[in-house]
Amino acid sequence: MSSNFPIIDISDLDSPSSQHRIADQVTQACREWGFLLLKNHPIPPGNIDEMFSLSKTFFSLPEPLKAQYPITSNSIGYMGSFQDRGKDDKMSMWFGGVPGSLLAAQNRDSLPPFWHEHAGKVEAFKHQCHGLVIKLLECFALALDLPDRKFFAGAHKEDVGNGNSLRMLLYPARPEKPNSHLEDVGSRMAAHTDSGSVTLLFQRAPGLEVMSPNGEEWIKAPYIEDCILVNLGDALSFWSGGQLKATMHRVTFDGLPHDRERQSMAYFGAANPDTVLQPIVQGEKMEKYYSNGIELVPGITVGELSRTIMRDIYGAAFQPTKEKKAPKMEGARQATAVV
Ligand SMILES: O=C(O)CCC(=O)C(=O)O
Ligand SMILES: [Fe+2]
C-alpha cells in the first residue's frame, strides 16, 4: 500500500540546473502526501549513528535518574513512558533552544548530566538539520513561486526563539503489553500533526503510520536505511493556504507491537516566534484551520500557537520547575509543541 510513497533523491539540489526539478518534486510530494523520504541527503550517516547510539545509552539509564529532569518550557528535558496526556508508551528526550543554549547557565539544571559532555555534538547535529530544513524551505518558496522568495529562510533563523528542537525517542520493547497491568495506557504515539514548519524524522526501525492522501486509511511509512522521512507541520500548511499538507501520523501497538523496540529522532524546524501566520501564496485565503483541534486564526504568531498547544497538551502538569530558579533569558521562552 505504501508503494507510491514519494522517495526523492536530493543529491543534486545545489546544482542550479537541477534545483527547480527537485523543488517541484519535493513540493508535489507535500501537496499530495505531506510526507516524503529524502534520499542522498547531506547529513553524514556517521553523525546520525552517533546520535542514535548516545540516545540509546541515555534511555537505558535508570528511570528515576532520567525522571529528575522533566521537560521545561525551554523544551529541554526528559519525559518517560505513560507520562504525557495520551499516556503513551514512549520515552522522549528534548533538546530545544538556540545554538549554545543546552549548556547555558539558565538551562544547566534542565539538561540531564549524561548530556553535558555531549551537548556540543547534539548542537552540531541540530545545526546540520537546520541547514537541511532551510534548503527544503527554499524548495517550497521556489516551487510555490512566492512573491517573497526569502520569506521562509528569513523567518527561520536558527538563533532566534526556541522553536528548533531535536527530540530523541525510544519506544521500548516490553515482555508484556503494558495495559495488561497498567490502567489507562494509550498507544505509542497518538495521532497528530506537527505544529511547526518542517520535521526531519530519523528512524531506526519501522512502525510509523501516516494518513493516506485520500484521508481514508493509515499507511505504514516505509523504512529505508539512510533515508530521512520528512513531514510538514501546520504552520507551513497555513502559510501555503493549505496547498501543502500537514498530515496526521501515529505509532500504535498494532504497527509496533509491545515486544518490538523503535528508536527515532525528530528535528522540528519551526519559524521564529514573532512570525505571523497567514497565507502568503498569492490568491490563497485561509478562513478556518485547525492544529490538533485548536483553531488557528490568521494573524496568530508562531509563538502563540506553540504556547497554546503546549498548554493544551500538558495543562497544569506542565511546570517550568527548573526554570523558575534561573534568571530569565530573552528570546528563548517559546515552548515547542509536544505530543
Ligand atoms: O517516532 C516517530 O517516528 C514519530 C515521531 C513524531 O511524530 C513526533 O515526534 O512528532
Ligand atoms: Fe509528529
Side-chain angles (χ1 to χ4, degrees):
M1 224 11 252
S2 54
S3 54
N4 57 352
F5 194 96
I7 303 174
I8 296 168
D9 184 335
I10 59 160
S11 45
D12 291 332
L13 187 54
D14 290 336
S15 123
S17 61
S18 315
Q19 205 189 16
H20 258 99
R21 175 180 53 82
I22 297 174
D24 282 344
Q25 288 174 350
V26 167
T27 305
Q28 186 49 33
C30 292
R31 287 183 200 274
E32 203 183 337
W33 285 80
F35 263 89
L36 64 137
L37 273 163
L38 280 189
K39 205 169 139 182
N40 294 325
H41 58 79
I43 303 191
N47 296 7
I48 301 171
D49 289 347
E50 187 175 33
M51 287 301 114
F52 271 123
S53 146
L54 288 170
S55 156
K56 183 101 195 221
T57 310
F58 170 71
F59 284 127
S60 66
L61 295 174
E63 200 56 33
L65 222 140
K66 293 175 287 181
Q68 286 173 36
Y69 300 89
I71 181 172
T72 67
S73 59
N74 287 351
S75 295
I76 297 177
Y78 173 75
M79 172 145 295
S81 279
F82 319 119
Q83 301 303 309
D84 56 18
R85 185 186 58 167
K87 304 266 195 290
D88 289 341
D89 193 6
K90 62 173 191 286
M91 306 172 193
S92 309
M93 176 63 214
W94 287 87
F95 302 93
V98 296
S101 57
L102 289 181
L103 282 177
Q106 60 270 43
N107 290 328
R108 191 162 301 142
D109 291 343
S110 311
L111 190 69
F114 171 86
W115 291 107
H116 287 193
E117 65 175 300
H118 306 299
K121 284 181 193 160
V122 174
E123 295 220 336
F125 185 70
K126 283 183 68 180
H127 180 66
Q128 289 177 328
C129 291
H130 185 262
L132 178 53
V133 165
I134 294 292
K135 278 179 191 288
L136 294 170
L137 288 169
E138 284 167 355
C139 284
F140 299 129
L142 191 65
L144 292 171
D145 197 20
L146 289 194
D148 177 4
R149 240 355 111 68
K150 301 244 176 287
F151 170 78
F152 285 142
H156 290 75
K157 293 194 184 69
E158 193 182 6
D159 55 357
V160 179
N162 195 35
N164 297 307
S165 286
L166 179 71
R167 176 192 210 178
M168 294 180 172
L169 282 145
L170 181 84
Y171 302 83
R174 301 188 186 277
E176 278 175 46
K177 194 166 179 198
N179 45 3
S180 54
H181 63 280
L182 282 169
E183 278 185 13
D184 196 20
V185 166
S187 61
R188 295 285 224 173
M189 166 85 73
H192 66 283
T193 54
D194 293 348
S195 66
S197 300
V198 178
T199 304
L200 305 180
L201 204 47
F202 302 85
Q203 332 179 65
R204 268 299 180 262
L208 188 74
E209 293 169 34
V210 169
M211 184 49 77
S212 62
N214 64 7
E216 286 176 2
E217 59 186 321
W218 290 102
I219 288 182
K220 288 182 171 44
Y223 167 66
I224 303 182
E225 228 184 292
D226 294 336
C227 282
I228 301 175
L229 196 58
V230 173
N231 67 287
L232 304 191
D234 292 311
L236 190 54
S237 182
F238 201 74
W239 281 312
S240 75
Q243 288 197 27
L244 303 176
K245 270 191 188 169
T247 300
M248 294 278 267
H249 49 287
R250 67 178 191 183
V251 183
T252 62
F253 280 111
D254 286 338
L256 182 68
H258 63 88
D259 55 355
R260 292 261 302 280
E261 179 183 286
R262 169 179 162 88
Q263 242 194 309
S264 62
M265 289 190 290
Y267 176 80
F268 300 102
N272 303 139
D274 59 356
T275 316
V276 173
L277 286 172
Q278 61 198 358
I280 52 163
V281 174
Q282 263 170 346
E284 292 292 352
K285 282 209 170 68
M286 206 70 166
E287 298 304 342
K288 271 199 183 225
Y289 189 90
Y290 292 88
S291 175
N292 295 296
I294 295 166
E295 186 183 342
L296 303 189
V297 184
I300 186 178
T301 64
V302 167
E304 284 157 0
L305 168 63
S306 39
R307 274 192 299 274
T308 308
I309 289 186
M310 197 65 139
R311 262 197 313 272
D312 181 63
I313 288 168
Y314 285 105
F318 185 75
Q319 296 294 340
T321 42
K322 307 274 175 169
E323 188 186 299
K324 276 186 190 152
K325 296 184 227 151
K328 293 213 165 185
M329 184 172 76
E330 268 321 299
R333 319 308 302 165
Q334 314 304 330
T336 306
V338 183
V339 290

